[in-house]
Amino acid sequence: MARQPSRPRVPAALPGLLLALLLAGCAALPAAERPDVPVPANWSRPAGQPGPAAAEGADWWDSFGSRELSRLVAAAYGANPDLAAAAYRIAQASALVRVAGADLYPSVEGAGSGSRSWRGEGGNRTTDSFRGTFDASYEVDLWGRNRLGAEAALAERIASEYDREAVALSLSAEVATAYFQYLSLGDRIERTRRILATAERVLALVEQQEALGVASALELAQQRAAVAALRATLPQLEQRRAETRNALATLLGRPPGDLRIEASTLATVELPRVAADLPADLLERRPDLRSREAALAAASADVGAARAAMLPSIRLTGSTGFASDALSELFSPAGLLANLASGLVAPVFDAGRLAGQRDFSEARRAELVQAYRGAVLAAFRDVEDALAAIEFLAATEEAQRAAAAAARRAYELAEARYRAGVVSFLTVLETQRTLFQQEDTLEQTRLARLNAAVSLYRALGGGW
């Protein structure tokens, strides 16, 4: 009668091990608390100003009313290398989440072997041996160390996602700033050409008067110097505009020079309206702050994992398979093998390695708490600075526009009176220089107001 294979014996310790598995599922994860940072309920400066507002649900750059700007930002989002690299960092973090999560499950390995040995004189006695096994091991997560490790990896992945959002926000702001700079330089070039034409007309007048003996050689030399200075300004502005276009092309992931901009003046761009009574909690949308919060959560989980590593751990191991002296009978019931074992491991002496890792994790978390508090304060400063710039630059532009109009009127009067012989040429020269400075300052103030609006959008993490 054939012998029936015996069933593997259940170890007496197995009920206790099952209880340990249940306890592992109840291991508590330490919650990462948001650090306490004093947050004002309102901003110190009132927001709100006339101008177009962004449509609800639209991207913040649409509020400037420039379709070309929106097209450029979309192109940058599709081809910028830094943004693409940030996406790959998310993929790396996702892979590490899977790596860390694998410790929560048993690991199984398969192995197979075969051997033949010879014995006796001439090696005429052979012995064959075949073996195939599956080995499994599992560490009971009594104190939540493995679970906390997976929690930390997940938080790091979330942080990488917010990091990509921060890169995207910074990229869109840089595209807008470069675009406005390019258009502003176009306006300054056009204004310089216009004033140069006026200065050349005056130069022709002075040359005529010098030939008639009415104007002196000094006055002629002074006007020629003024005209030469204006002519020298033009290639400088052209160079800066070319460099700005190249920088914008780089942001869009294109080779320098491979970019055509249709607009040529800031007049095509509108100043957005800042909503009144902006809530301070808008800062919670900033991706850089959310990234720091996620990193802090990861650090808190690392602290718990480092503490759990100092406690005893239970490891279960088991194997099953077949062994036979004949390959044809390898998988027969008679060749069945099974083994189950458990072990308790507790740190006794490690020269302070685990304690050092715990202290490092706690110090790292404390560092991130202070870094988070500093980042929140810096974010509030960014918003306050942008609001102040928007408020004061609006008043500056209004006053500067009046100053430029007065300078143009003064120059026109000085030129007319010089033709009539009432004032000296020095008066014409001074009013000409003042007109150039005041109109140039007006152009730069207009650009500064647009950049202040971009800074506010960036400081608030997007639109409002």
Side-chain angles (χ1 to χ4, degrees):
M1 189 175 187
R3 180 183 176 185
Q4 296 295 326
S6 60
R7 294 178 177 271
R9 299 179 59 186
V10 177
L14 184 57
L17 297 178
L18 294 176
L19 177 61
L21 290 173
L22 293 176
L23 292 175
C26 300
L29 300 178
E33 297 181 358
R34 178 181 296 180
D36 184 18
V37 183
V39 176
N42 298 300
W43 309 103
S44 62
R45 300 193 177 280
Q49 62 180 129
E56 184 176 356
D59 293 318
W60 65 264
W61 48 86
D62 293 334
S63 63
F64 291 93
S66 172
R67 293 183 178 180
E68 186 171 43
L69 174 60
S70 300
R71 177 178 60 81
L72 293 174
V73 173
Y77 275 14
N80 182 265
D82 292 335
L83 192 59
Y88 283 113
R89 286 192 289 271
I90 296 177
Q92 296 172 35
S94 299
L96 292 179
V97 169
R98 297 195 300 271
V99 171
D103 291 335
L104 298 173
Y105 301 94
S107 63
V108 180
E109 296 180 351
S113 64
S115 64
R116 168 171 289 185
S117 60
W118 291 268
R119 294 185 298 172
E121 185 177 355
N124 55 2
R125 296 176 59 189
T126 62
T127 301
D128 295 329
S129 177
F130 302 95
R131 186 181 182 91
T133 60
F134 290 93
D135 299 323
S137 63
Y138 177 69
E139 180 180 350
V140 181
D141 200 17
L142 273 176
W143 318 110
R145 178 169 65 90
N146 294 337
R147 192 174 300 276
L148 286 168
E151 189 85 1
L154 179 60
E156 291 289 355
R157 191 196 70 181
I158 294 174
S160 67
E161 293 173 350
Y162 286 130
D163 287 340
R164 184 188 180 280
E165 292 184 14
V167 172
L169 177 61
S170 178
L171 174 62
S172 58
E174 291 177 4
V175 169
T177 300
Y179 180 66
F180 297 155
Q181 174 77 8
Y182 179 86
L183 298 183
S184 176
L185 286 168
D187 288 335
R188 294 176 66 187
I189 290 172
E190 182 60 29
R191 177 192 51 78
T192 302
R193 288 173 177 168
R194 185 178 65 250
I195 295 180
L196 175 60
T198 302
E200 288 175 339
R201 186 182 70 247
V202 174
L203 175 60
L205 174 62
V206 176
E207 288 175 340
Q208 292 176 359
Q209 293 184 340
E210 194 271 342
L212 296 174
V214 178
S216 66
L218 175 60
E219 292 174 340
L220 178 60
Q222 288 176 326
Q223 184 61 16
R224 284 176 176 173
V227 170
L230 288 171
R231 289 173 177 170
T233 302
L234 278 174
Q236 296 174 8
L237 293 174
E238 292 282 7
Q239 177 186 353
R240 290 181 57 187
R241 185 168 67 165
E243 292 172 349
T244 303
R245 183 178 62 249
N246 293 337
L248 188 55
T250 302
L251 291 174
L252 270 59
R254 300 181 183 178
D258 184 20
L259 177 63
R260 181 177 178 271
I261 299 178
E262 297 176 357
S264 59
T265 174
L266 274 182
T268 59
V269 179
E270 300 173 334
L271 271 169
R273 183 178 72 246
V274 180
D277 300 326
L278 291 174
D281 58 4
L282 280 175
L283 283 182
E284 294 183 358
R285 302 180 310 166
R286 279 182 56 141
D288 59 334
L289 296 184
R290 290 190 172 189
S291 174
R292 289 182 180 273
E293 288 182 5
L296 186 56
S300 298
D302 287 337
V303 170
R307 292 173 179 173
M310 304 178 69
L311 301 174
S313 62
I314 297 177
R315 190 168 189 85
L316 303 178
T317 59
S319 64
T320 183
F322 298 87
S324 174
D325 293 338
L327 183 60
S328 59
E329 300 178 358
L330 177 60
F331 296 104
S332 64
L336 177 64
L337 298 174
N339 177 57
L340 180 63
S342 64
L344 179 66
V345 180
V348 177
F349 177 76
D350 60 3
R353 179 177 62 84
L354 294 177
Q357 183 63 42
R358 176 204 60 198
D359 295 343
F360 170 81
S361 300
E362 292 177 348
R364 173 63 176 163
R365 183 186 184 280
E367 175 197 357
L368 292 179
V369 167
Q370 298 306 318
Y372 175 80
R373 296 180 66 242
V376 171
L377 295 176
F380 274 98
R381 176 184 173 182
D382 292 342
V383 176
E384 290 284 2
D385 287 349
L387 289 174
I390 289 174
E391 176 184 355
F392 293 121
L393 285 173
T396 300
E397 184 180 13
E398 182 179 357
Q400 191 61 47
R401 194 177 301 279
R408 173 159 292 281
R409 177 59 177 165
Y411 174 75
E412 291 172 350
L413 290 174
E415 183 181 352
R417 300 187 72 180
Y418 175 72
R419 290 178 182 273
V422 178
V423 299
S424 67
F425 178 73
L426 182 60
T427 302
V428 177
L429 195 63
E430 288 297 329
T431 55
Q432 178 180 268
R433 184 182 299 110
T434 300
L435 174 62
F436 178 80
Q437 293 174 345
Q438 295 299 330
E439 290 196 348
D440 190 65
T441 302
L442 178 60
E443 294 290 347
Q444 296 186 52
T445 304
R446 169 73 175 176
L447 174 63
R449 290 191 66 188
L450 289 170
N451 288 338
V454 173
S455 297
L456 182 59
Y457 281 121
R458 188 173 186 174
L460 291 174
W464 43 77

